[in-house]
Amino acid sequence: MTRHDRRAALQRRIRASLAVLSAPVVSGEYFTRWSLLMSFVVGTFLSVPSVGTPSFDGYLRGVVVAAVGWMPLAALGLFAAYAERRLASSPGERVAVIATALVGFSVIRPFVNDAVSAFLFGLSTGGNWATRITTNIVTSVILFTVCAIAVTYHRRLRATTRRLRSASALMRVSTAEAAHLQSTVPTVLAQIADDLRRHRDLLLDGAVDYDAVRDYSARVRAASHRLDELTQWPPDDTPVDIDLDDARGVPVLARLSTTPPLSVGLTYVAATLPFGLSHGGPSVAVAAVTACAALDLAASLITRRARGLRVTLRGLVFLAAWALAGVGVLALTYALLPNVGALGLVPLLALPLTASVISMSVDAYRRARAEEVRATSVLRASARALASAAESARAPLRRASDLLHGRLQSRCVILAAHVDEAPADAETLDTFRTQTDEVLDELRTGANLVIEETIEDLVEAWSVVMDVRVGAEPEARAAFDDPAIGEQASRLINEALVNAVKHSAAREAAVELERTGDRLRLRVSSPGILSPRASANAAPQGIGTRAAGTTLRQVGEHVVLEREFELPPQ
């Protein structure tokens, strides 16, 4: 890999990270019930005010003060959530609401706690307002952002997964119907062939005149129309009431696995750094950063080594590792700040809790992402399976309809013209019997049948999920009949329609085929918004989309997947 490639990869990684961080801020879902719950836990048990002397009794008084003081702040948080969702109409306005709310909470909280402490215990929480406000700002930004990222992406991935699973379920139902139709085709064709042969024999055994032949021809035409009706897709009675039970309970201990390196230690340091600087100076801050980073890496190593254990045991090892890290931070705290009192006990709970929150957030994202990938793969396979099953079921019916409408009808027309001028002789009737026997035998056995899946077959398979319009120039459509190009085009169309389901709930898409000289262009567009991750990637990801000349981009309110093909030399 060249230096330019490494720089480009780093830039893509940075863009993807910024997209992941910024998406929840402008999504309208930054403040949620989960962030409200976490703010109560952190604000009540970890970021507690100092009430009275540094002791365990003072810590308990601080917990009571923080819990009572949280209530009016929670009311402000609910108003901020309402303003973010209902009053802010643009990303900039949402960012302004979030920034104002976070700074507002952080500034107000020390004074609210001081007033509550004075009312309940007649004690002040002390001054040092600037340090306390700074600590609140850092803690609230980290807390709410981590929760927002986890909740936003989990909800998006679950919504995407539900759309994918819904589309797959519809296709599986249609595939089952196509398979059922395919299993009944031999019986249907045999019944039609036997019925037409019996009425043909009745015709030839009676008075063969123009009216009799016309009646038999009408029966042939009715049978042909019946076969045409069976080839219509999708059936009018396709079931749409599909159970999408995606509630899969996962034990809490099963969600405790690993955390990103340094994420827990540096999060704790960031939340406590203002306090450490104000009480111990820069040397304490440097020692805290170094020790917390080392303890984080040690705990992360232990949890990674435990990934092969059973779920429950792995979760217990996780809690034990981070509890030991909390003991290490506690020892460090009392070594650096001997007079900190009961506040030095906070790491015992803070480290395991912070690690659990981060681990569960990462686990929720990974599980949802894995489910999305699995559902995408299932939908991709379901679409091709449905196209193949539908074509396998319809091809014999179309072939049979052509036999009846073309060859058998033409024999009837010839015989009708003959008997309209003069009575039929034995040779004419024997010829008619022989020729119609050949057609009916072929109808019964389905001989000379070649099944080839086309782009139209794939598009028709997707019609059970969405309305797909195909615009093709005649020369371009003919060029895509080349087997090699046609297969690649089918994979690309399939992937594009899978993406259409992923990016939005829209139920329409457009497929365009164009030809310019020896170049073919395939373009699939659908309403939707690319995910931040997809937008940050230089090339699309997915089966059939990695070939040279393939682009995936946002064009207005549509997602467009496009690729150029080069015609093979003639």
Side-chain angles (χ1 to χ4, degrees):
M1 180 181 289
T2 65
R3 180 179 300 178
H4 175 75
D5 292 335
R6 288 194 296 270
R7 184 181 304 148
L10 177 61
Q11 291 175 348
R12 286 197 299 271
R13 193 174 295 112
I14 292 174
R15 285 198 301 269
S17 300
L18 292 177
V20 168
L21 291 173
S22 63
V25 177
V26 299
S27 67
E29 296 181 337
Y30 188 83
F31 296 110
T32 64
R33 65 178 182 273
W34 297 108
S35 58
L36 192 67
L37 175 63
M38 288 306 304
S39 70
F40 174 77
V41 174
V42 173
T44 301
F45 298 102
L46 302 182
S47 182
V48 296
S50 299
V51 180
T53 59
S55 63
F56 186 70
D57 182 62
Y59 171 74
L60 293 180
R61 285 197 296 265
V63 168
V64 173
V65 168
V68 175
W70 175 84
M71 297 179 185
L73 296 176
L76 293 177
L78 293 174
F79 177 76
Y82 174 81
E84 179 193 14
R85 288 162 172 77
R86 303 294 184 183
L87 303 182
S89 58
S90 67
E93 292 176 357
R94 292 192 184 101
V95 172
V97 167
I98 292 170
T100 301
L102 292 180
V103 173
F105 299 155
S106 303
V107 172
I108 294 173
R109 184 172 182 256
F111 299 99
V112 170
N113 287 341
D114 193 66
V116 172
S117 179
F119 178 77
L120 294 178
F121 304 110
L123 297 172
S124 173
T125 58
N128 206 7
W129 305 112
T131 300
R132 293 166 66 183
I133 290 172
T134 303
T135 301
N136 287 338
I137 291 176
V138 174
T139 303
S140 61
V141 168
I142 294 174
L143 170 68
F144 284 105
T145 301
V146 168
C147 285
I149 290 174
V151 171
T152 298
Y153 282 95
H154 183 261
R155 286 179 177 175
R156 286 185 179 182
L157 289 171
R158 292 308 293 270
T160 297
T161 301
R162 285 184 64 83
R163 290 197 296 269
L164 293 168
R165 292 176 63 194
S166 176
S168 294
L170 282 170
M171 288 188 173
R172 286 195 298 272
V173 169
S174 297
T175 301
E177 291 181 349
H180 175 70
L181 175 60
Q182 184 179 6
S183 68
T184 62
V185 165
T187 302
V188 170
L189 296 182
Q191 289 174 348
I192 291 176
D194 292 345
D195 179 75
L196 292 177
R197 195 188 305 273
R198 182 168 58 85
H199 283 85
R200 190 276 317 272
D201 292 341
L202 291 174
L203 167 67
L204 297 181
D205 291 342
V208 182
D209 55 19
Y210 180 83
D211 290 336
V213 177
R214 183 189 61 188
D215 291 343
Y216 182 72
S217 178
R219 179 173 292 275
V220 173
R221 183 166 55 252
S224 177
H225 289 166
R226 179 189 173 195
L227 294 176
D228 285 338
E229 290 174 358
L230 290 175
T231 64
Q232 299 304 309
W233 200 268
D236 293 336
D237 59 349
T238 298
V240 293
D241 185 15
I242 298 170
D243 181 18
L244 294 176
D245 181 16
D246 54 8
R248 302 179 181 179
V250 179
V252 173
L253 289 177
R255 296 183 177 274
L256 302 179
S257 179
T258 57
T259 56
L262 302 178
S263 59
V264 178
L266 295 186
T267 296
Y268 179 79
V269 167
T272 58
L273 188 60
F275 179 85
L277 285 172
S278 64
H279 287 76
S283 60
V284 170
V286 172
V289 170
T290 304
C292 285
L295 289 171
D296 182 298
L297 294 176
S300 297
L301 179 61
I302 294 173
T303 56
R304 278 171 169 73
R305 291 289 180 87
R307 282 187 295 189
L309 300 177
R310 295 194 307 273
V311 169
T312 302
L313 184 58
R314 185 181 66 204
L316 293 175
V317 169
F318 177 94
L319 293 175
W322 286 108
L324 289 175
V327 172
V329 175
L330 179 147
L332 175 69
T333 301
Y334 281 112
L336 297 177
L337 302 172
N339 299 322
V340 73
L343 289 178
L345 300 175
V346 170
L348 285 178
L349 183 61
L351 265 296
L353 180 60
T354 302
S356 298
V357 170
I358 293 176
S359 179
M360 293 178 69
S361 298
V362 172
D363 178 80
Y365 177 83
R366 287 175 178 170
R367 288 179 185 274
R369 178 66 179 167
E371 180 64 15
E372 184 211 21
V373 171
R374 189 193 68 80
T376 299
S377 177
V378 170
L379 177 57
R380 187 184 295 123
S382 296
R384 299 303 296 266
L386 176 55
S388 178
E391 178 60 15
S392 297
R394 289 183 301 184
L397 296 173
R398 283 199 298 259
R399 172 63 174 164
S401 178
D402 290 342
L403 286 173
L404 295 181
H405 186 71
R407 291 171 58 184
L408 191 55
Q409 280 276 58
S410 66
R411 300 302 181 269
C412 293
V413 171
I414 294 172
L415 180 61
H418 185 88
V419 300
D420 191 36
E421 296 179 357
D425 54 29
E427 182 181 357
T428 300
L429 297 181
D430 287 343
T431 300
F432 180 77
R433 185 188 299 274
T434 301
Q435 292 176 340
T436 53
D437 274 339
E438 291 177 358
V439 174
L440 295 175
D441 288 343
E442 189 171 344
L443 174 67
R444 210 177 196 286
T445 60
N448 302 322
L449 178 63
V450 178
I451 300 176
E452 293 183 357
E453 181 184 326
T454 65
I455 290 176
E456 285 76 10
D457 296 326
L458 183 63
V459 169
E460 286 190 57
W462 273 96
S463 65
V464 302
V465 176
M466 61 172 61
D467 177 25
V468 183
R469 294 176 288 104
V470 180
E473 301 172 352
E475 289 187 357
R477 180 62 194 90
F480 278 100
D481 286 336
D482 179 273
I485 295 179
E487 174 61 23
Q488 295 179 58
S490 293
R491 288 207 308 266
L492 189 71
I493 292 173
N494 197 38
E495 186 68 27
L497 297 180
V498 169
N499 288 336
V501 174
K502 291 169 64 175
H503 295 313
S504 76
R507 288 295 177 260
E508 62 181 39
V511 178
E512 300 175 43
L513 309 175
E514 300 175 355
R515 176 175 179 175
T516 305
D518 62 347
R519 309 292 295 182
L520 297 174
R521 181 183 298 274
L522 170 61
R523 182 186 300 109
V524 185
S525 61
S526 61
I529 302 297
L530 277 175
S531 65
R533 180 174 180 171
S535 300
N537 285 329
Q541 302 294 312
I543 301 294
T545 66
R546 299 189 181 96
T550 306
T551 59
L552 176 67
R553 65 183 189 279
Q554 187 76 41
V555 180
E557 297 180 352
H558 288 73
V559 176
V560 177
L561 184 62
E562 193 173 57
R563 180 178 173 187
E564 281 195 351
F565 299 86
E566 184 174 356
L567 282 173
Q570 300 296 327

